[in-house]
Amino acid sequence: MTKSSKHAVSSQPESFEAASAELEKIVTAMEAGQMSLEVSLSAYQRGAELLQYCQNKLQGAQQQVRMLEAGILKDFTGSDRDER
């Protein structure tokens, strides 16, 4: 394992999309079955970090959508009655 790949293990992804793409590459590489045990363990660890990052981003997005829907639904319901 090179110094740069060890550094990549602890680096934060730039975005959800970047994390998802990196996770997909890791899964594909692991499924190919050509990694040594040490590299597989590092890849698994990085994959777990990326998965956690993606889950956190999705939870944050879901919370924002809930908040937006709550505000929109309140406004929409009130204005909907006025139009009828």
Side-chain angles (χ1 to χ4, degrees):
M1 178 173 264
T2 65
K3 192 183 247 185
S4 64
S5 61
K6 283 185 180 179
H7 177 67
V9 171
S10 62
S11 67
Q12 189 78 343
E14 292 180 21
S15 65
F16 174 84
E17 292 77 9
S20 181
E22 185 179 348
L23 185 56
E24 189 172 329
K25 287 179 186 178
I26 290 171
V27 169
T28 300
M30 290 183 80
E31 286 177 343
Q34 301 298 314
M35 294 179 172
S36 68
L37 179 60
E38 183 178 320
V39 173
S40 292
L41 289 172
S42 289
Y44 184 87
Q45 179 181 0
R46 178 62 177 164
E49 291 170 357
L50 291 167
L51 181 60
Q52 184 65 47
Y53 175 87
C54 288
Q55 287 174 336
N56 289 340
K57 287 291 187 181
L58 286 172
Q59 287 174 351
Q62 287 174 335
Q63 183 63 31
Q64 285 181 317
V65 167
R66 281 188 211 110
M67 289 171 54
L68 290 170
E69 284 179 342
I72 290 172
L73 290 176
K74 287 178 186 174
D75 293 340
F76 180 76
T77 304
S79 63
D80 188 29
R81 282 189 227 152
D82 293 340
E83 292 177 10
R84 288 184 184 180

